[in-house]
Amino acid sequence: MSDPQDEVLAQDPLRDRGDGEGPDAAEEAEEAEEAVEEDLALAALAKERDEYLDALKRLQADFENYKKRIIRQQTEHLERAAEALVEKLLPVLDTFDLALVHDEGFDQVLASLMGVLEKEGLERIQPDGEAFDPNEHDAVAHEPRDDDAK
C-alpha cells in the first residue's frame, strides 16, 4: 500500500519530476528568456556604439578636410594679395628705371613708391628728435657709443 503523502506529491504540478516540467524547468525557461533579452539589449547597445563611432569618424574626417580647405584658401588669399601688390609696384619700377637712365627724377620714384605703400596701409613715422622707444620703434642697427665700449 502506498503512502497518501506520496500520492499528493505525485499529483503536485509544481513538483520537479525530472521530465522537464515543474519549478526547475520554469526557472530555466525564465533564465533562458532573460539571457535572450540580455543578448538583444547588448546587441542593441553594440549597434548604437558602432553608429556613434561611425559618426565620430565621419566628423573627424570632415574636420580634417575643413582644416585643409581653410589652409588652401588662406594660401590662395596671400598669393592674390602679393600678386596685387606687385602689380601696383610695376609702374614704380618703370619710373625708377627711367630715373636711372636720366640721372634724375628720384623724388618722383620715391613719391610713387610711397603712394603705393600708403594705399596698402603703410604709414611713415618721422621720429626725428624723439628718444628711441622699443615699444614703438624697431631698431635696424646699433652703433656703439663711446661709453658703451668701456
Side-chain angles (χ1 to χ4, degrees):
M1 178 154 132
S2 66
D3 185 12
Q5 188 177 11
D6 288 338
E7 288 178 21
V8 171
L9 289 174
Q11 295 173 358
D12 183 6
L14 298 177
R15 183 174 169 257
D16 184 17
R17 296 182 188 158
D19 57 0
E21 296 179 11
D24 287 342
E27 286 177 17
E28 287 176 11
E30 188 176 310
E31 287 175 4
E33 187 177 319
E34 288 176 3
V36 169
E37 288 176 7
E38 281 183 26
D39 288 344
L40 290 174
L42 287 174
L45 286 174
K47 182 181 177 186
E48 185 178 3
R49 178 204 61 207
D50 292 342
E51 288 172 357
Y52 282 128
L53 185 60
D54 288 342
L56 176 63
K57 287 178 180 178
R58 281 192 304 276
L59 181 64
Q60 188 173 18
D62 287 346
F63 183 67
E64 290 298 322
N65 290 335
Y66 168 78
K67 287 193 317 187
K68 290 176 185 175
R69 187 176 65 245
I70 292 299
I71 289 171
R72 185 174 57 248
Q73 287 175 349
Q74 288 176 340
T75 302
E76 290 172 0
H77 178 71
L78 290 173
E79 288 172 357
R80 282 194 303 268
E83 182 180 321
L85 180 60
V86 168
E87 285 178 7
K88 292 174 185 175
L89 288 174
L90 286 176
V92 175
L93 291 173
D94 290 339
T95 306
F96 189 74
D97 286 339
L98 288 172
L100 282 175
V101 169
H102 298 290
D103 286 334
E104 57 185 56
F106 288 102
D107 292 336
Q108 184 181 1
V109 174
L110 180 61
S112 297
L113 179 61
M114 291 309 297
V116 169
L117 294 175
E118 285 173 2
K119 286 180 185 174
E120 293 298 315
L122 185 68
E123 180 181 335
R124 184 174 207 138
I125 299 174
Q126 295 290 347
D128 295 341
E130 294 180 22
F132 179 77
D133 182 3
N135 296 320
E136 287 187 32
H137 307 113
D138 288 327
V140 293
H142 175 74
E143 294 181 7
R145 298 184 309 197
D146 291 337
D147 56 343
D148 284 344
K150 295 179 185 175

